[in-house]
Amino acid sequence: MIIPHHLLSSTSIFRRRSIQASLGSALIVILLYRFFFQAAPLVPTVPRPQEIPPKIWQIFFGYSPLSDFSDPLQTWISKNQDHSYTLVSNDGGNDFVRKHYATRPDILSPFLELRFPILRSDFLRYLLLESEGGVYTDLDTACTKPVRDWVPEGLRSQTRAIVGIEYDQRDDEPYVGMSGTRMQFCQWTMAASKGHPLMSKVANSVVESLHMLARRHGKSIRDLEPSDDEVVEVTGPVIWTRAVMESLSEATGTSMSYVNMTGLKEPTLFGDILVLPIDGFGAGQPHSGSTREGDADAYARHLFKGSWKHGWGG
Ligand SMILES: *[C@@H]1O[C@H](CO)[C@@H](O)[C@H](O)[C@H]1NC(C)=O
């Protein structure tokens, strides 16, 4: 470090005065030093890939009493005291999206227009994670393993998103209600780093399919009243699963399908996306080889309140 002589002498004069003054001049020296010697060769820095930040998000739109969820809700806070916790209300969601998508009218206007609660709740979870990153989880889920232990130690430096298998048909008959897919990913719990391409992809797809649904019904986005099947397709597990598969393919540079993940036993990293086996987020289901009772290696448990089926979404 080279400091010009006149700067050195001026600091030594100041040092004989008060501590405050010398601190001030030291600050000036540092600033000048940075300005002249460090800022000069402006090498563009490659942004460091972001880790998943220690944030937990839940959405509560107030369609049923919050006390219905207090037990599972507390598991997220008590097991993750190294995380921040945010419960996002309907108005809070609008404020969040206004703030983060001020320059993205393609996302901002459909979101603000949208009235149907479950469509808003689905859309909002993707936007929360795209904008700030962290874990999103529905109110009817309980945390059974602290989030800091979700990623196996050897994979931590590379993991930028976490998804769980919800449905894995394997050699079984297709399970009713799974939209004819052989594999579906949970959309009640998910995690990502800020700005992860998976969240951008699903958010953009949701916008596209909201416009398509509105056209199909000859309605505005504001007046949409979709069927359960349409919800699943337009903002829910179907569109989510498609985005996950595409992102897995892009992240690995290979063509990913259920074949790569069926019967998965261990959390497995594909590119920077960690895929959890069925019990990760999907324990207790009557299909997919999920552990129904007893000891499952469950990260989070879905309690299947299914309030969304009445259009509520929490
Ligand atoms: C996924 O499976 C396909 C074959 O179905 C294979 O070509 C591809 O390499 C696999 N991808 C990874 C990351 O294992």
Side-chain angles (χ1 to χ4, degrees):
M1 164 165 163
I2 306 158
I3 297 176
H5 185 257
H6 63 279
L7 284 181
L8 275 180
S9 51
S10 69
T11 57
S12 58
I13 292 164
F14 276 111
R15 206 172 285 133
R16 271 177 235 122
R17 298 184 185 169
S18 69
I19 291 173
Q20 215 174 3
S22 72
L23 278 178
S25 60
L27 192 64
I28 289 165
V29 171
I30 290 162
L31 289 178
L32 288 176
Y33 168 74
R34 290 187 59 113
F35 182 76
F36 285 113
F37 298 96
Q38 282 198 324
L42 258 183
V43 182
T45 51
V46 182
R48 217 168 65 86
Q50 299 228 21
E51 289 174 13
I52 300 171
K55 299 180 183 186
I56 293 168
W57 302 92
Q58 295 202 288
I59 295 174
F60 177 62
F61 284 169
Y63 293 90
S64 45
L66 187 59
S67 56
D68 286 2
F69 305 103
S70 39
D71 289 346
L73 187 155
Q74 284 184 43
T75 62
W76 290 99
I77 297 173
S78 60
K79 282 202 162 49
N80 300 290
Q81 294 187 21
D82 50 352
H83 280 58
S84 73
Y85 173 87
T86 311
L87 184 62
V88 184
S89 67
N90 197 45
D91 289 351
N94 286 340
D95 289 347
F96 182 96
V97 176
R98 274 197 202 96
K99 177 177 152 203
H100 287 276
Y101 293 90
T103 60
R104 290 285 308 272
D106 59 318
I107 287 185
L108 183 62
S109 17
F111 182 81
L112 293 178
E113 220 188 297
L114 203 54
R115 289 286 169 278
F116 203 74
I118 182 58
L119 297 183
R120 299 196 104 223
S121 159
D122 280 345
F123 195 2
L124 182 56
R125 72 193 62 188
Y126 307 133
L127 300 180
L128 292 169
L129 294 195
E130 188 194 25
S131 304
E132 293 214 7
V135 174
Y136 167 80
T137 192
D138 278 357
L139 279 173
D140 64 346
T141 64
C143 181
T144 43
K145 184 183 203 153
V147 174
R148 68 168 173 281
D149 298 333
W150 283 9
V151 182
E153 219 162 301
L155 303 178
R156 281 190 193 155
S157 64
Q158 303 151 63
T159 301
R160 301 285 174 264
I162 307 171
V163 300
I165 294 176
E166 168 181 9
Y167 175 61
D168 179 7
Q169 186 182 325
R170 304 170 306 154
D171 295 329
D172 298 344
E173 290 301 305
Y175 192 77
V176 179
M178 285 301 166
S179 328
T181 51
R182 296 194 63 107
M183 182 166 279
Q184 191 162 287
F185 293 98
C186 302
Q187 185 248 7
W188 56 74
T189 307
M190 56 183 69
S193 62
K194 177 176 169 170
H196 195 279
L198 167 57
M199 293 302 157
S200 311
K201 182 186 286 290
V202 70
N204 292 331
S205 309
V206 163
V207 168
E208 219 172 277
S209 58
L210 282 173
H211 287 300
M212 266 167 50
L213 186 69
R215 267 200 304 277
R216 202 192 302 155
H217 287 287
K219 285 183 171 177
S220 64
I221 287 178
R222 174 186 301 272
D223 295 329
L224 283 177
E225 281 181 22
S227 67
D228 288 354
D229 284 350
E230 285 171 332
V231 168
V232 166
E233 286 220 3
V234 169
T235 58
V238 170
I239 202 164
W240 168 243
T241 295
R242 202 177 306 137
V244 170
M245 282 296 185
E246 285 176 19
S247 296
L248 288 169
S249 297
E250 282 160 22
T252 60
T254 71
S255 176
M256 292 282 289
S257 69
Y258 71 92
V259 174
N260 301 80
M261 291 164 282
T262 186
L264 197 72
K265 291 275 174 286
E266 297 293 327
T268 305
L269 195 63
F270 294 98
D272 65 356
I273 304 173
L274 189 72
V275 179
L276 303 182
I278 187 73
D279 277 351
F281 297 154
Q285 302 186 94
H287 54 70
S288 310
S290 139
T291 305
R292 292 222 65 185
E293 274 151 40
D295 287 343
D297 190 18
Y299 291 31
R301 279 189 184 265
H302 191 203
L303 310 170
F304 293 101
K305 290 227 177 202
S307 62
W308 71 271
K309 291 221 162 139
H310 312 288
W312 302 338

